Amino acid sequence: MRRIAIQGEIGSFHDIAAHEYFKGEQIELICCETFEEIFDQMKRDPTVIGMMAIENTIAGSILHNYELLKESGNVIVGESKLHIEHCICCLPEDDWTTLKEVHSHPVALAQCRHFLDAHPDLKAVESTDTAGSAAFIAKNHLVGISAICSSYAAHLYHMKVLQNDIHDNKHNFTRFLIISTPMKADYLRSIEKSNKSSIVFSLPHEEGSLSRVLAILSFYAINLTKIQSLPIIGHEWEYMFYVDVTYDNITRYRQSIDAITPLVRNIKILGEYQEAES
């Protein structure tokens, strides 16, 4: 049985993503309140696998999670992309006329802004988790309080779904990273089958330093799928660059890494893995 540390409660989108990625396998979820706690769980028990959201097609990247990953020493062994669909749910005895509040994670509330604008009588209240909101309402029998979460979470906690698909954008996807300790990585993914890599490095504060790196990647036919910069605290105008690349030839990819290494500082490969299907 695989033990997977996730952020959020049973029924959260992390839960759904974990079961989709490890479909057909027995898993035990370790529910964490924060992303920091995921890494704490992995530090206490190296057999624990982490699953962590890293970006959303609407909300963008979760910048803090890049730093957590880099500092942890753990590696990415896979990724998963999940279609995010929100519903509004309440206790079975409630309906539209009795509701006063709607609780959910702030990102979920932001993704349902048009729906909330159409229901000005519902006070939006931020919480730490979508599924956790439904669980809290059900456990404490909070009449007049609703939650925005997945329909899976609503049914799990015996809540009544008032409306499905209340999110503003139907092309709403979240990308999750599957993380392990380096010693366990080879048991979870095959390097030979990898076609994607996540890399982090800094650059000297010189004109053209980034363009030289990008030119080398292009020369080796390495496809740059994402680049994210974060400032280096204490070093004005210097940045860490988090880069995702895809490739169809692992030898050529490794040659490209060797070629850019002399041009960058503090380069680190965060993981080599298979790209998730879109």
Side-chain angles (χ1 to χ4, degrees):
M1 179 179 292
R2 300 193 188 278
R3 303 183 68 225
I4 318 293
I6 63 170
Q7 188 275 322
E9 300 284 338
I10 300 296
S12 66
F13 291 107
H14 275 80
D15 171 0
I16 298 171
H19 278 91
E20 282 196 6
Y21 186 83
F22 294 102
K23 191 173 184 178
E25 299 186 48
Q26 284 191 319
I27 66 172
E28 175 191 350
L29 294 180
I30 303 171
C31 296
C32 305
E33 288 191 12
T34 65
F35 290 111
E36 286 86 350
E37 191 179 338
I38 292 176
F39 292 98
D40 289 340
Q41 291 285 346
M42 297 176 69
K43 188 175 181 179
R44 284 196 289 268
D45 183 354
T47 66
V48 170
I49 301 166
M51 191 152 197
M52 177 182 74
I54 196 65
E55 64 176 320
N56 176 266
T57 51
I58 298 172
S61 298
I62 306 176
L63 301 181
H64 182 52
N65 286 358
Y66 282 105
E67 284 293 303
L68 291 175
L69 176 59
K70 180 173 72 73
E71 297 301 323
S72 73
N74 295 313
V75 296
I76 306 167
V77 295
E79 68 173 9
S80 175
K81 295 175 183 176
L82 180 68
H83 188 205
I84 305 299
E85 299 174 289
H86 296 297
C87 78
I88 182 170
C89 63
C90 60
L91 294 175
E93 59 265 40
D94 270 326
D95 58 35
W96 291 111
T97 62
T98 59
L99 295 182
K100 301 174 182 178
E101 295 180 0
V102 55
H103 294 213
S104 196
H105 190 280
V107 171
L109 293 173
Q111 292 175 353
C112 301
R113 184 55 52 197
H114 294 163
F115 169 83
L116 294 174
D117 289 344
H119 295 82
D121 50 323
L122 286 179
K123 178 184 177 182
V125 178
E126 295 184 356
S127 66
T128 58
D129 184 45
T130 54
S133 299
F136 184 77
I137 294 168
K139 180 180 179 181
N140 295 281
H141 201 77
L142 300 180
V143 177
I145 310 298
S146 60
I148 289 176
C149 60
S150 68
S151 58
Y152 168 66
H155 294 305
L156 191 66
Y157 295 110
H158 308 292
M159 300 281 278
K160 179 170 68 176
V161 174
L162 289 174
Q163 186 175 332
N164 281 306
D165 299 331
I166 64 170
H167 37 285
D168 299 344
N169 193 316
K170 306 311 176 187
H171 300 282
N172 184 5
F173 290 83
T174 294
R175 176 177 168 237
F176 297 84
L177 299 178
I178 296 84
I179 306 160
S180 81
T181 59
M183 67 178 66
K184 191 178 176 64
D186 288 341
Y187 296 99
L188 296 168
R189 58 94 169 95
S190 169
I191 284 291
E192 290 71 24
K193 293 181 180 179
S194 70
N195 61 356
K196 187 171 185 177
S197 176
S198 296
I199 310 160
V200 60
F201 54 80
S202 60
L203 289 170
H205 193 48
E206 300 172 358
E207 184 177 345
S209 58
L210 179 58
S211 62
R212 285 192 290 271
V213 171
L214 299 182
I216 289 173
L217 294 176
S218 177
F219 174 79
Y220 283 96
I222 306 302
N223 183 32
L224 182 73
T225 60
K226 182 176 183 181
I227 182 167
Q228 181 79 52
S229 63
L230 288 178
I232 302 175
I233 305 301
H235 297 264
E236 293 81 4
W237 318 120
E238 292 187 27
Y239 299 86
M240 298 298 296
F241 292 88
Y242 292 84
V243 174
D244 287 346
V245 299
T246 58
Y247 47 89
D248 56 18
N249 185 301
I250 193 167
T251 300
R252 195 164 59 231
Y253 152 73
R254 286 176 173 163
Q255 289 171 340
S256 74
I257 297 298
D258 290 340
I260 67 171
T261 297
L263 304 178
V264 303
R265 298 171 178 168
N266 308 311
I267 188 168
K268 184 176 183 180
I269 297 175
L270 298 175
E272 297 163 337
Y273 50 96
Q274 282 187 281
E275 183 179 21
E277 294 182 3
S278 299

